Amino acid sequence: SQQGEEDPQALSIQEGENATMNCSYKTSINNLQWYRQNSGRGLVHLILIRSNEREKHSGRLRVTLDTSKKSSSLLITASRAADTASYFCATDVQGAQKLVFGQGTRLTINP
Amino acid sequence: GAVVSQHPSRVICKSGTSVKIECRSLDFQATTMFWYRQFPKKSLMLMATSNEGSKATYEQGVEKDKFLINHASLTLSTLTVTSAHPEDSSFYICSAPRRGLEQYFGPGTRLTVT
């Protein structure tokens, strides 16, 4: 069953603005990952944050994790039209390698 | 470059026929692979865990006789949709963990059953 909830479901912003997406989950995790998916394509791994980490950066991406609130956020700074895609958080099931995905956020960057 | 491939990328079949989808890890061995399905504008739903040399583990609500999974080698898992019906039309994606943590996803297979 899905354990991740993401908000917003859809986000439309102007190029150059920052985009923030949030993810909440229900059970204990070892790590949380963010993925991007362009329409009709496979998933691209963006970043992984472990349960003992609070913040992680990768280029224009910044991910935070609050295990006490069971939530994470993905911030994309200085957005570009090419960032238009769906973004999913995924959590591992403790003791297993399988991932459970959130509902996703459809991000549209308007030029 | 891609580390997990899927074949075919698109398939159209008639209702009642069976379709086989292959998932390959290209430069690493994967004793475990995962199969997901995704409906349009929806998230990925885990269907089953494919285990090399043993039976697949299916998620609740997934018919194992409908979706046959075979993990015959350390680099290949196959998903066969048996007696396909239009409601089986979906985007099927496989993944394989590498170095234990990071999962690599295949490009997906779009199945259309007419």
Side-chain angles (χ1 to χ4, degrees), chain B:
Chain B
V3 295
V4 175
S5 69
Q6 276 185 246
H7 177 80
S9 58
R10 290 176 180 270
V11 57
I12 301 173
C13 70
K14 292 186 177 180
S15 191
T17 62
S18 295
V19 174
K20 181 185 285 187
I21 302 170
E22 294 184 347
C23 177
R24 292 182 185 273
S25 56
L26 297 181
D27 60 356
F28 66 101
Q29 294 181 336
T31 56
T32 302
M33 292 183 177
F34 301 95
W35 286 97
Y36 297 82
R37 70 183 295 182
Q38 184 180 31
F39 291 105
K41 298 183 179 180
K42 297 293 185 182
S43 187
L44 282 75
M45 294 287 292
L46 179 65
M47 299 175 66
T49 302
S50 175
N51 304 299
E52 189 269 335
S54 64
K55 291 181 180 179
T57 307
Y58 290 83
E59 295 299 303
Q60 191 173 10
V62 178
E63 299 176 61
K64 61 181 180 181
D65 295 330
K66 173 76 171 174
F67 299 100
L68 299 179
I69 291 172
N70 185 3
H71 198 143
S73 76
L74 287 170
T75 59
L76 174 64
S77 174
T78 60
L79 168 69
T80 301
V81 183
T82 63
S83 187
H85 288 96
E87 57 265 30
D88 298 324
S89 298
S90 193
F91 194 54
Y92 292 88
I93 306 176
C94 69
S95 73
R98 187 178 184 182
R99 291 190 292 269
L101 276 179
E102 189 172 329
Q103 297 245 2
Y104 287 87
F105 284 80
T109 297
R110 185 161 303 283
L111 170 64
T112 303
V113 185
T114 61

Side-chain angles (χ1 to χ4, degrees), chain A residues 75-90:
Chain A
L75 168 67
I76 303 175
T77 61
S79 63
R80 305 167 182 170
D83 294 329
T84 294
S86 290
Y87 292 81
F88 297 93
C89 69

Side-chain angles (χ1 to χ4, degrees), chain A residues 13-68:
Chain A
I13 61 174
Q14 294 300 121
E15 195 167 21
E17 294 180 342
N18 297 340
T20 299
M21 291 158 271
N22 302 296
C23 165
S24 62
Y25 56 93
K26 296 178 182 176
T27 63
S28 296
I29 62 171
N30 292 317
N31 61 71
L32 183 145
Q33 305 182 56
W34 284 90
Y35 290 85
R36 184 184 76 206
Q37 183 183 36
N38 288 85
S39 181
R41 307 292 292 273
L43 274 72
V44 174
H45 183 264
L46 295 177
I47 198 165
L48 179 151
I49 186 165
R50 299 174 192 264
S51 61
N52 62 353
E53 296 176 309
R54 292 295 167 259
E55 188 171 310
K56 204 161 183 180
H57 296 79
S58 177
R60 293 184 297 113
L61 306 180
R62 172 177 170 257
V63 168
T64 64
L65 178 64
D66 187 335
T67 53
S68 67

